[in-house]
Amino acid sequence: MNKKISIILIIALSLFFTETIYANELTTPSGISISDVERFVDDYAHEYIGETTAGASIVILKDNKVVLSKGYGYGDIENQIKINPNTAVFEWGSVSKLFVWVSVMQLVEQGKIDLDEDINRYLPKGFLTKLTYDDPITMLDLMNHTAGFEENIFDTGYANEYRVKSLEEGLKIAEPNQVYRPGKVVAYSNYSTSLAAYIVQLITEQDFNEYVDEHIFQKLGILDSTSYLSLGRNEQITKNKVNGYELIEEGDFKLSTPYYMSMYPSGEINGTAPDLAKFAMALMPQSENENVLFEDENTLVTMLSQSYAINENVPGIAHGFWEYDGKFKGLTHGGNTVSFSSNFHIVPEENFAVIILTNQASESDITYGLTKELVGEKEIDEVKLADLPNSQITEGTYLTTRRMKSGFLNLYYYLLPLTVKSLNANEIEVSLVGMKANYVQTYPNVYKMTKGSTMFIPTNVLYFSIEDGEVKQISTSISDYLPLDKNIFWLTISAVLFIYCLVYFIASPFVLIVISILNRRRKKPSIKIRKWVYLLNIVGTAFIVNIILLVIRMLSNSDRGYFEVFPQIVANYVLTILSVVFIIFILVNWKKATLMKLQRAIYLLSIVTIVILIFLLITWQFYS
C-alpha cells in the first residue's frame, strides 16, 4: 500500500512541477516559446534566404541572455562562404545613429548639454548658413528629426573612400536648406544626427569615433566593430566584412558597392550582430543595479521615454529611438546602406531584444517581417464606427517630408508618391512604389496596419491631421507625409510636354539630315536662317542627351558628390545661352529669308519646343 501511495505522490509531484515549468516557460513577446524559437526562426528564414535575401546574422536576447545567435545564407555568394554569426561584419546603416543619441545623453547627464537649448550655443558662430526660420533648433529637435532640414542626397555617401572628408567638412559641404519650421514636421535627417555628433565632438574635444570607442564600445566589450571603418586600419574587421548585394530578381543577386561617409555618425558603423546585442543588453533592465552606459539609471529611463508624439494614441519618438506599437511597447531603429539592411528592436518591459543584420540592400522580409513575428502585434480593440470619421477624408496623394525640395532631384519624389484609397468607412489602402498595405481605423484618424508589404511595418500606425475637412499631414514615428503640393493636372501636362520635347529632339537630327540631303540633290540654295535652325535643333538634342545621362548616372549610383554632376548643370546653362543666341539669329534673319509656309511652321515649332524644354528645366530646377 505504501508503495502505491509513493508512486501516486511521485506522479502528482511530477505533474505539478511540469505544469509549473510550462507555466513559467520563457517566451518571446509574441508568445513563441524560447525553447522553440530557433526552429521558428529557421523555418521563417528558410523561406527568404537565397530568394529575396542574400544572408543574415540574427541574435535574440531574453532576460539578459543570448537565446539565439545564428547565421543564415552566404557572406560571399560567388564562393559559397556561409555567414559566421560570431565574426561576420555588416554595415549597420542608420542603427549607428543610436550611438549618437547615447553619447548625447551621457553629456546631458554630465550637465554639458541641455536638450532644450538652441544648438547654436554649441556650434561655431555662423556654422549653419541655410536656416530659414528664426525659431531655435534644439538638441531635442535633432533627436526627433524635427529641425526642418530637407533631404540631401549629394555628399552623404560615397562609393570610394578617398572622397571622404572630416566630419566638420562633410557637414559644411552637405548642409541642406531648412524647409520646415522647427518642431512642426518629422523629416528623417542624416544631417541632424551628424550635426549632433559634431556637437559631442566639440564639447568633448575628442573625435566622435574616438569618443564612441572609449565611452561605449570599450565599456560594453565591443571588440569586432568600428564606428569609422577605414582601409589601412581595422584590418581584421575589414577582412571579416561580408559582401553586400542588391536583389535583381528572386534568387538572383548582384554584388553591390562599398559605402563610405563623411557624416559617418549617421550610418558608418561596421560590426557583428553579437556586438550590437551587447549594446541592446545595456539598454534593458539589468540583473544588477549597475548601468554600464550611464552613471544614473534615470538617464536611461529618460532616454527611452517618449520625447515627441503628434497624438496620444500613436507611437512617437524616444530621444532618437522609434517607438513601435507592438504587443508591448518596442523601441527600434532600422538601417539601410546601398548594400546592407538592419533592424534593432528592444522591448524593455519584456527584457527582450532582436538584432537582425543582412547583407542585402533594401531588405525587409527578414529585418522587419521576422521582427514583427517575434515581438507580436497589439490586438485591435473593437471600436464604434459611429464615433469615427469616414475614411474617405484620408484619400489623396502625399509626398514624404524626407525629400529634396531644392535642385533637380526634387522631381524624383513626385514620381513616387504615397497614395491613400478608402476601402470602406473604416479601412484604407496605402500604396508606395508598387507596394500596398491595408490599415484599419482604431481611434479617430488613427489607422493601424492589418496586412500588406513588410516595408510598411516600421510605419504600422498612421495619424491623419485634419483641418477644415482636409488632411494637412500624415504622421509616423519615422517621417511625415504632406499633401501633394503641385496640381495633378500640371504634373500630367509637364510629363506630356517633356515626352513631346524628348521625341522631337531625338527625331529632329535625323529629319534635318534627310532634308539637307534632299536640298543638295535638288540643288536648292542655302539660306542663313536654315543654319541657325539646324544649330538650334542640335542644342535641343544636346539638352535631351545631357538630361538622360544625368538620370542614368543618378539611377546607377546615387551616392555621389555634387561636384560629379556639377558639369552637367553647367552644361544646361551653356546650352541655354546657345539657344537664346540661335533664336536671336533666327528672328533677325526671319524677314530676310524667303520661306514657304511649311518651313515657317517647322522653324517656329523648333523655337517653341526648345522654349518649352527650357521652361520645364527651370520649373524642375535642372539649373541647380
Side-chain angles (χ1 to χ4, degrees), residues 5-237:
I5 293 173
S6 298
I7 292 172
I8 291 171
L9 286 172
I10 290 171
I11 293 173
L13 288 171
S14 298
L15 289 171
F16 172 77
F17 284 116
T18 299
E19 289 177 2
T20 302
I21 292 170
Y22 181 78
N24 295 325
E25 185 175 17
L26 297 178
T27 66
T28 70
S30 64
I32 301 169
S33 168
I34 292 300
S35 62
D36 197 38
V37 75
E38 182 173 2
R39 182 200 59 78
F40 180 88
V41 174
D42 287 349
D43 291 344
Y44 187 97
H46 179 74
E47 185 176 346
Y48 299 102
I49 294 295
E51 299 298 324
T52 61
T53 309
S57 183
I58 301 172
V59 178
I60 297 174
L61 303 173
K62 177 65 178 176
D63 291 346
N64 303 307
K65 294 179 181 179
V66 175
V67 296
L68 175 72
S69 180
K70 199 166 183 178
Y72 298 86
Y74 297 99
D76 184 339
I77 294 175
E78 292 74 17
N79 296 306
Q80 297 287 283
I81 299 176
K82 292 184 177 181
I83 288 177
N84 182 332
N86 298 316
T87 59
V89 171
F90 297 76
E91 292 174 2
W92 294 1
S94 289
V95 173
S96 307
K97 291 179 171 65
L98 300 180
F99 290 78
V100 176
W101 307 131
V102 167
S103 301
V104 167
M105 292 305 294
Q106 287 176 337
L107 297 185
V108 168
E109 184 178 68
Q110 297 169 29
K112 296 178 180 179
I113 287 180
D114 182 340
L115 294 180
D116 296 311
E117 181 66 56
D118 187 336
I119 59 171
N120 280 306
R121 169 188 166 188
Y122 306 109
L123 293 169
K125 187 175 181 180
F127 186 83
L128 296 175
T129 63
K130 298 182 179 181
L131 298 181
T132 303
Y133 299 94
D134 294 329
D135 306 46
I137 297 173
T138 66
M139 181 60 74
L140 264 182
D141 286 324
L142 298 184
M143 289 178 141
N144 298 332
H145 298 276
T146 55
F149 295 123
E150 69 174 331
E151 176 76 329
N152 185 12
I153 292 176
F154 294 114
D155 296 294
T156 297
Y158 306 102
N160 298 295
E161 186 195 6
Y162 71 87
R163 290 179 178 164
V164 173
K165 311 296 182 184
S166 68
L167 176 57
E168 179 180 359
E169 191 174 353
L171 287 166
K172 289 180 177 179
I173 292 172
E175 182 184 354
N177 292 315
Q178 187 186 41
V179 295
Y180 309 109
R181 188 177 294 279
K184 299 298 182 182
V185 171
V186 176
Y188 186 82
S189 173
N190 286 309
Y191 190 84
S192 289
T193 308
S194 295
L195 188 62
Y198 179 58
I199 290 172
V200 171
Q201 183 169 293
L202 291 172
I203 291 174
T204 61
E205 298 182 342
Q206 189 175 16
D207 284 350
F208 181 74
N209 62 300
E210 294 177 358
Y211 178 90
V212 169
D213 182 66
E214 179 181 343
H215 296 275
I216 301 179
F217 281 14
Q218 289 183 28
K219 285 187 175 182
L220 299 180
I222 292 177
L223 304 174
D224 301 313
S225 306
T226 176
S227 60
Y228 198 15
L229 184 65
S230 175
L231 299 178
R233 299 185 298 171
N234 305 306
E235 290 88 353
Q236 191 60 45
I237 293 175

Side-chain angles (χ1 to χ4, degrees), residues 116 124 249 343 413 489:
D116 296 311
E249 58 183 8
N343 194 24
Y413 298 91
F489 177 75

Side-chain angles (χ1 to χ4, degrees), residues 271-478:
T272 66
D275 272 351
L276 187 51
K278 294 176 182 177
F279 179 67
M281 197 175 294
L283 297 175
M284 292 189 296
Q286 304 298 302
S287 55
E288 300 176 3
N289 293 325
E290 178 185 359
N291 194 286
V292 180
L293 296 175
F294 303 106
E295 296 294 329
D296 185 348
E297 62 180 17
N298 290 323
T299 305
L300 177 60
V301 173
T302 299
M303 185 176 69
L304 300 183
S305 66
Q306 189 177 83
S307 56
Y308 176 89
I310 193 71
N311 181 279
E312 62 180 356
N313 296 313
V314 301
I317 300 169
H319 299 87
F321 290 75
W322 301 334
E323 293 184 333
Y324 183 77
D325 190 40
K327 193 168 184 179
F328 301 91
K329 178 184 175 182
L331 296 163
T332 182
H333 208 292
N336 281 284
T337 67
V338 296
S339 310
F340 293 79
S341 302
S342 59
N343 194 24
F344 175 94
H345 195 114
I346 61 174
V347 186
E349 64 182 291
E350 285 288 291
N351 211 346
F352 179 86
V354 55
I355 290 90
I356 302 176
L357 305 178
T358 75
N359 57 334
Q360 166 74 55
S362 303
E363 202 282 335
S364 63
D365 290 325
I366 293 181
T367 49
Y368 293 123
L370 176 59
T371 300
K372 178 182 176 181
E373 294 296 324
L374 294 171
V375 301
E377 289 293 292
K378 184 186 294 182
E379 291 185 8
I380 298 175
D381 296 330
E382 290 187 10
V383 293
K384 295 181 180 179
L385 297 182
D387 298 334
L388 300 176
N390 192 295
S391 69
Q392 285 186 342
I393 198 173
T394 67
E395 286 193 330
T397 305
Y398 305 87
L399 297 181
T400 177
T401 53
R402 186 191 178 184
R403 66 186 180 100
M404 290 187 73
K405 299 184 75 172
S406 309
F408 68 91
L409 284 176
N410 82 96
L411 177 60
Y412 170 80
Y413 298 91
Y414 290 92
L415 302 176
L416 302 171
L418 180 86
T419 59
V420 178
K421 173 185 173 184
S422 173
L423 298 178
N424 55 54
N426 200 43
E427 190 176 10
I428 60 175
E429 179 186 79
V430 177
S431 304
L432 182 66
V433 295
M435 302 297 180
K436 298 180 179 181
N438 287 13
Y439 288 73
V440 66
Q441 191 171 194
T442 55
Y443 298 96
N445 301 316
V446 177
Y447 287 79
K448 179 73 178 283
M449 179 182 172
T450 54
K451 64 179 181 179
S453 170
T454 52
M455 70 172 287
F456 290 98
I457 292 175
T459 54
N460 68 337
V461 177
L462 305 176
Y463 175 72
F464 292 80
S465 297
I466 310 292
E467 291 182 19
D468 300 324
E470 294 183 352
V471 176
K472 296 299 181 184
Q473 186 171 316
I474 302 177
S475 298
T476 79
S477 57
I478 299 175

